[in-house]
Amino acid sequence: RRFTVGLTGGIGSGKSVVARLFAGRGADIVDTDRIARSLTAPHGAAMPAVLAAFGDGFADAHGALDRAKMRALVFSEPDAKRRLEGILHPMIRDAVLAESLLGTGPYVIFDIPLLVESGTWKDRVDRVLVVDCPEAVQAARVVARSALPASQVQAIMAAQAPRQVRLAAADDVIDNGGELAALAPQVDRLHATYLTMAEEGVK
Ligand code: ATP
């Protein structure tokens, strides 16, 4: 398999910006969120299994997952959440791995927002790269971007791994506490490291 970097970070930490910089240097990027969403989009590949498990009432008029209804169910029934994840997680994993084989770049980056939280990805990547910034900066950027109330941003952040836990899981860290312009030199340095590792087949 290809040399694989798992890119992660809290909400609004700058994963997308960093992924674009790596893509500009030739790395292949696999967006795991996009793949996860497509599986439960209208007539997505996971829909038959999800409807068989939960009932046809969980499809909306377009054949997509009724997300509001499913959110309500998994909120009140933890077992339903486990069953849903039991269906989706293996399919997400397979689709991500399949897409990762299509690229022709020197290595591949999986953009995985919940890498540290989920546990399933750590053994499937060669390096864990964390985009880091102080929580106050992170919160301010998310509020600026999304117009979510600060209280809701705090709730999302509280449900994610704390900064120190994420940093403890990192092989490499990109500091995004400063200007956007500070990212390129860090990406250049890591890209050179990953090229060497990919060539040497470092595991
Ligand atoms: P999510 O987890 O929500 O997908 P993300 O980790 O992919 O977020 P980005 O979308 O890359 O984060 O960045 C979040 C917001 O902060 C964007 O609007 C981005 O333009 C902005 N941003 C990122 N880094 C910086 C920076 N160093 N300075 C100023 N703004 C930044």
Side-chain angles (χ1 to χ4, degrees):
R1 78 178 169 74
R2 307 175 66 202
F3 184 77
T4 305
V5 176
L7 169 67
T8 195
I11 179 174
S13 56
K15 293 178 296 297
S16 310
V17 174
V18 166
R20 274 196 293 279
L21 291 173
F22 276 103
R25 287 152 178 80
D28 292 314
I29 313 292
V30 178
D31 180 342
T32 61
D33 257 0
R34 178 183 54 69
I35 288 176
R37 277 194 308 275
S38 75
L39 288 173
T40 53
H43 308 292
M47 287 309 294
V50 170
L51 299 182
F54 293 94
D56 289 341
F58 282 87
D60 69 14
H62 307 285
L65 180 65
D66 185 332
R67 285 170 210 282
K69 194 167 170 184
M70 183 56 82
R71 214 172 5 250
L73 177 70
V74 302
F75 186 73
S76 61
E77 288 183 34
D79 185 61
K81 181 162 192 255
R82 273 190 293 275
R83 279 194 295 143
L84 180 67
E85 289 178 348
I87 295 168
L88 293 182
H89 285 183
M91 294 187 81
I92 294 169
R93 224 154 39 222
D94 288 350
V96 166
L97 296 176
E99 187 172 317
S100 77
L101 298 176
L102 300 177
T104 54
Y107 62 94
V108 57
I109 293 183
F110 293 175
D111 182 342
I112 311 174
L114 297 181
L115 184 151
V116 172
E117 291 84 345
S118 81
T120 40
W121 287 107
K122 281 194 276 291
D123 299 333
R124 290 182 165 81
V125 299
D126 299 298
R127 300 290 282 188
V128 173
L129 170 57
V130 167
V131 182
D132 178 61
C133 71
E135 275 144 356
V137 175
Q138 192 189 339
R141 284 181 190 154
V142 176
V143 169
R145 174 190 62 181
S146 59
L148 285 179
S151 61
Q152 202 170 326
V153 173
Q154 289 301 336
I156 294 170
M157 286 174 59
Q160 298 187 341
R163 185 181 183 196
Q164 291 312 321
V165 171
R166 205 178 281 110
L167 285 173
D171 296 303
D172 305 303
V173 177
I174 286 184
D175 172 8
N176 191 27
E179 305 267 301
L180 278 172
L183 292 176
Q186 299 182 75
V187 169
D188 282 333
R189 203 154 49 236
L190 281 169
H191 178 61
T193 303
Y194 294 154
L195 283 179
T196 307
M197 288 180 171
E199 254 169 45
E200 292 175 350
V202 171
K203 290 282 170 260

